[in-house]
């Protein structure tokens, strides 16, 4: 039985949708704090009870799977898989793309400029938690 | 005709009431139906399954195999086979996604039921429509008949027509004209027609060097990647491609194989490839008030603005500003919609900050490609997805490196949807 993160405080007092603005502020901060303290969700199948911040992370990250192989059964590719990579290393690479420091890059600099540094960090951390198998 | 009725427990309407107990979940029998097994629909069912192993999922798809529109211009030019672009739906069934080979005949959104061409009626808790586009043959006089006779193929849905058009290209006389008619935007795959013109030109240069490609474009200018296409045409196929803007085909005469333009002139060609204007597929008709051509959705959830519980993704949606009808975009729609469907089924908050990406690769020869990219974020003020101004852009020029990346992109996209 896979471990699950304890229900996220943000889903408490579920609401009418109007407090979404507040949630948008609170959840990323909590999500980051959790990630930074090393508390990790098991990279098992996320459940429908997954907290909003984690759902945001996985949905943002899911866009990457259009190009990047998301499972070991994907066909061999020049485009690298991202699951299970060290989050700090992924984040540094994304920032290097954003700052124009990767001259071998093609599409990535143009895409990552659409994301804040915090969004990139959350994506990097989420991808790092995914199983490589 | 078989008549069966599946009724699932309707869990969507069950509110938890215990707002603090996020561990409580909806009944495990919640049923999500996805109509359409193209890139949008197939990605949606796979994503729903990955994110919720307990959900009951049904895919309703007319065809027994998936044939990719992306990369199908390579088949027309003889650089790839249709088999290279064809995938089975077997992987979905291994993941306990029920597949029904049928079309949607009638949507009863009030009772949350769909009536299918097989006679089946299915109940759902949430419905995702990913039916793609229908062609408006009737908007060009004589086109329906000419198309049925094979005189004016579109090959804008990959399949038998893709091969037929390839055969017509091969059989074209030396010094002949291949005419490609592009409808007014929005249409599926904005750079696709120009990619096709490039690849046809490469074929002609090699096999019929005196022949020409004539692009009759209903739009005032090249719709996508103009500078890159012109650069490619000038360097790779000088004098071989003629692009005529403001040239909308309004009629086709099968007897003389000529097309009439909006200014009244008649054009003669040897092979006619007429891409008709599109609209959202028939399955969405009840979601398009006032005969609108596309389906309006809330881009945070992709839920229809007129039918609660019905989500629409892919090319059938009315696009947000500068959002193309592309396979990549359809894939990203599916991810956001899958998350929203799972949230709404369990009475959880939706993601108020969706971020979607797009990249469209276009081949300008069988080896070389170039691309355009964009990032789209939800704007709370404008209530839509807007392109991020500082993001996105194009290749500097076509290259074999991007040709290789384009093929790998397609392979991976297919795998994420169907592998």
């Amino acid at each position: 039985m896979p471990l699950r993160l304890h229900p996220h405080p943000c889903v408490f007092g579920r609401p009418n949708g109007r407090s979404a603005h507040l949630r948008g502020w609170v959840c990323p901060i909590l999500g980051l704090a959790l990630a930074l303290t090393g508390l990790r969700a098991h990279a098992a199948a996320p459940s429908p009870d997954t907290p909003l911040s984690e759902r945001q992370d996985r949905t943002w990250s899911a866009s990457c799977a259009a190009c990047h192989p998301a499972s070991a059964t994907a066909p061999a590719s020049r485009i690298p898989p991202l699951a299970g990579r060290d989050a700090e290393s992924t984040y540094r690479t994304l920032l290097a793309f954003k700052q124009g420091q990767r001259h071998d890059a093609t599409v990535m600099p143009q895409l990552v400029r659409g994301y804040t540094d915090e969004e990139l960090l959350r994506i990097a951390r989420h991808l790092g938690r995914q199983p490589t198998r | 005709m078989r008549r069966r009725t599946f009724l699932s427990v309707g869990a969507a309407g069950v509110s938890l009431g215990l707002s603090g107990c996020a561990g409580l979940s909806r009944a495990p029998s919640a049923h999500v139906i996805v109509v359409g097994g193209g890139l949008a629909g197939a990605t949606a069912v796979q994503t729903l399954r990955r994110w919720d192993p307990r959900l009951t999922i049904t895919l309703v798809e007319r065809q027994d195999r998936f044939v990719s529109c992306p990369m199908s211009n390579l088949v027309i030019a003889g650089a790839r086979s249709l088999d290279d672009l064809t995938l089975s739906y077997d992987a979905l069934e291994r993941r306990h996604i029920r597949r029904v080979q049928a079309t949607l005949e009638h949507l009863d959104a009030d009772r949350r039921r769909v009536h299918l061409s097989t006679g089946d009626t299915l109940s759902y808790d949430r419905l995702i429509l990913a039916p793609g586009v229908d062609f408006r043959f009737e908007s060009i006089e004589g086109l329906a008949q000419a198309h049925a006779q094979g005189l004016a193929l579109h090959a804008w849905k990959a399949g038998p027509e893709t091969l037929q058009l390839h055969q017509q290209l091969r059989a074209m006389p030396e010094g002949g004209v291949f005419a490609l008619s592009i409808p007014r935007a929005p249409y599926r795959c904005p750079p696709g027609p120009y990619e096709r013109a490039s690849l046809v030109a490469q074929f002609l240069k090699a096999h019929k060097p005196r022949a020409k490609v004539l692009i009759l474009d209903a739009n005032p200018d090249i719709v996508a990647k103009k500078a890159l296409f012109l650069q490619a045409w000038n360097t790779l196929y000088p004098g071989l491609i003629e692009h005529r803007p403001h040239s909308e085909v309004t009629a086709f005469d099968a007897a003389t194989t000529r097309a009439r333009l909006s200014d009244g002139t008649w054009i003669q060609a040897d092979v006619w490839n007429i891409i008709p204007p599109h609209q959202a597929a028939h399955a969405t008709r009840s979601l398009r008030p006032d005969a609108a051509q596309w389906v309006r959705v809330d881009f945070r959830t992709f839920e229809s603005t007129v039918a609660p519980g019905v989500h629409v993704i892919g090319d059938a949606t009315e696009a947000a500003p500068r959002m193309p009808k592309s396979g990549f975009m359809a894939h990203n729609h599916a991810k956001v919609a899958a998350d929203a469907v799972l949230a709404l089924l369990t009475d959880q908050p939706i993601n108020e900050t969706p971020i979607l990406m797009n990249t469209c690769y276009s081949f300008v020869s069988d080896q070389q490609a170039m691309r355009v990219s964009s990032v789209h974020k939800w704007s709370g003020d404008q209530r839509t997805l807007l392109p991020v101004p500082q993001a996105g852009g194009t290749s500097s020029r076509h290259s074999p490196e991007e040709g290789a990346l384009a093929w790998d992109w397609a392979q991976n996209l297919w795998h994420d949807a169907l592998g």
Side-chain angles (χ1 to χ4, degrees):
Chain A
M1 182 64 190
L3 287 173
R4 284 192 193 129
L5 264 187
H6 193 274
H8 197 281
C10 299
V11 303
F12 288 170
R14 150 95 178 131
N16 49 25
R18 292 284 163 261
S19 60
H21 181 68
L22 181 64
R23 271 200 309 276
W25 272 102
V26 172
C27 293
I29 294 164
L30 281 170
L32 267 181
L34 288 174
L36 290 168
T37 53
L39 178 58
R40 293 190 154 195
H42 191 284
S47 89
D49 310 323
T50 309
L52 176 61
S53 66
E54 204 179 313
R55 282 183 24 234
Q56 283 177 326
D57 296 350
R58 83 176 175 192
T59 308
W60 295 344
S61 305
S63 293
C64 310
C67 299
H68 290 271
S71 77
T73 57
S77 179
R78 296 163 193 80
I79 306 168
L82 303 172
R85 286 166 69 116
D86 175 65
E88 290 305 316
S89 157
T90 302
Y91 179 57
R92 279 197 303 274
T93 305
L94 291 171
L95 285 186
F97 283 135
K98 196 173 182 181
Q99 293 155 4
Q101 293 161 357
R102 286 283 299 262
H103 299 293
D104 56 332
T106 60
V107 68
M108 285 303 294
Q110 294 174 352
L111 291 174
V112 296
R113 284 201 299 271
Y115 295 76
T116 65
D117 290 358
E118 187 203 302
E119 287 159 355
L120 294 176
L121 179 59
R122 287 174 58 181
I123 289 168
R125 290 193 186 284
H126 177 84
L127 292 169
R129 288 196 296 269
Q130 302 313 302
T132 49
R133 56 184 166 5
Chain B
M1 183 182 285
R2 289 177 304 141
R3 283 212 170 264
R4 280 179 295 151
T5 300
F6 301 111
L7 288 172
S8 71
V9 178
V14 179
S15 170
L16 290 176
L18 300 166
S19 56
C21 299
L24 278 184
S25 170
R26 45 135 182 82
S29 55
H31 184 204
V32 175
I33 299 176
V34 178
V35 176
L39 286 169
T43 303
V45 293
Q46 293 267 55
T47 305
L48 287 167
R49 174 54 78 234
R50 275 180 215 133
W51 289 348
D52 187 352
R54 296 171 297 177
L55 196 65
T56 303
I57 307 172
T58 303
L59 175 66
V60 177
E61 163 58 41
R62 170 180 29 198
Q63 315 238 56
D64 66 344
R65 294 172 88 74
F66 165 88
V67 186
S68 175
C69 278
M71 306 291 132
S72 66
N73 283 331
L74 290 167
V75 178
I76 290 170
R80 289 278 179 182
S81 77
L82 207 56
D83 284 347
D84 293 338
L85 281 56
T86 303
L87 287 90
S88 87
Y89 288 109
D90 294 351
L92 307 189
E93 284 163 28
R94 284 199 299 276
R95 298 199 174 92
H96 308 291
I97 293 159
R98 184 173 52 177
R99 185 164 61 92
V100 180
Q101 203 173 336
T103 55
L104 187 153
E105 294 287 306
H106 176 68
L107 163 60
D108 184 346
D110 293 336
R111 296 163 81 186
R112 301 205 173 210
R113 287 179 186 172
V114 289
H115 302 276
L116 304 183
S117 54
T118 49
D120 295 325
T121 296
L122 307 185
S123 289
Y124 60 82
D125 295 296
R126 291 259 154 199
L127 175 67
I128 299 179
L129 296 180
V133 299
D134 281 347
F135 296 122
R136 293 159 48 213
F137 289 103
E138 72 286 355
S139 64
I140 298 177
E141 188 187 328
L143 179 61
Q145 185 203 354
H147 175 261
Q149 293 175 291
L151 298 173
L153 301 175
H154 54 75
W156 212 240
K157 291 182 183 180
E161 275 198 36
T162 311
L163 293 176
Q164 244 180 305
L165 189 60
H166 169 62
Q167 281 147 12
Q168 291 186 359
L169 175 63
R170 289 178 68 93
M172 201 172 90
E174 295 285 343
V177 173
F178 181 102
L180 169 58
S181 159
I182 306 176
R184 282 186 208 189
Y187 56 84
R188 163 178 280 177
C189 191
Y194 310 100
E195 175 189 69
R196 179 173 292 182
S198 310
L199 290 166
V200 167
Q202 186 188 24
F203 178 91
L204 295 178
K205 189 178 173 183
H207 299 100
K208 304 171 197 288
R210 289 185 297 114
K212 263 185 61 174
V213 180
L214 174 62
I215 305 174
L216 300 172
D217 198 333
N219 298 287
D221 207 344
I222 293 176
V223 171
K225 292 182 262 193
K226 178 185 176 187
L228 287 170
F229 277 115
L230 291 178
Q231 181 186 44
W233 296 347
N234 288 333
T235 50
L236 300 172
Y237 319 114
L240 219 153
I241 298 173
E242 181 188 349
H243 177 258
R244 289 192 203 171
H246 297 292
S247 298
E248 184 168 27
V249 168
T250 56
F252 191 84
D253 179 29
T256 58
T257 62
R258 291 185 312 162
R260 190 185 66 208
L261 303 185
S262 46
D263 66 5
T265 56
W266 286 89
I267 305 286
Q268 179 75 56
D270 299 282
V271 174
W272 276 101
N273 177 196
I274 298 182
I275 304 167
H278 313 357
Q279 64 185 14
H282 182 78
T284 65
R285 201 174 57 171
S286 62
L287 309 177
R288 293 184 274 122
D290 307 321
Q293 288 176 353
W294 308 104
V295 185
R296 224 168 250 183
V297 297
D298 179 332
F299 285 109
R300 294 168 303 173
T301 58
F302 285 85
E303 193 168 21
S304 155
T305 54
V306 298
V310 181
H311 303 251
V312 184
I313 57 175
D315 294 344
T317 53
E318 182 179 288
R322 288 181 48 215
M323 176 185 277
K325 296 186 184 299
S326 73
F328 195 123
M329 207 78 246
H331 168 276
N332 270 221
H333 288 183
K335 303 289 184 181
V336 174
D339 174 65
V341 162
L342 295 177
L344 292 164
L345 281 173
T346 50
D347 201 28
Q348 292 186 63
I350 58 163
N351 176 11
E352 297 277 350
T353 54
I355 311 174
L356 291 85
M357 287 188 271
N358 183 66
T359 296
C360 289
Y361 285 100
S362 298
F363 279 88
V364 293
S365 75
D366 58 354
Q367 302 293 325
Q368 305 196 71
M370 58 357 174
R371 51 139 233 289
V372 60
S373 303
S374 52
V375 179
H376 305 256
K377 275 183 159 162
W378 175 256
S379 159
D381 294 339
Q382 301 197 38
R383 315 292 297 165
T384 189
L385 290 166
L386 293 179
V388 181
Q390 70 273 23
T394 66
S395 315
S396 55
R397 59 172 288 127
H398 55 273
S399 69
E401 290 74 24
E402 294 219 88
L405 288 171
W407 184 254
D408 283 0
W409 160 77
Q411 296 267 310
N412 190 70
L413 192 73
W414 300 335
H415 183 78
D416 202 50
L418 293 143

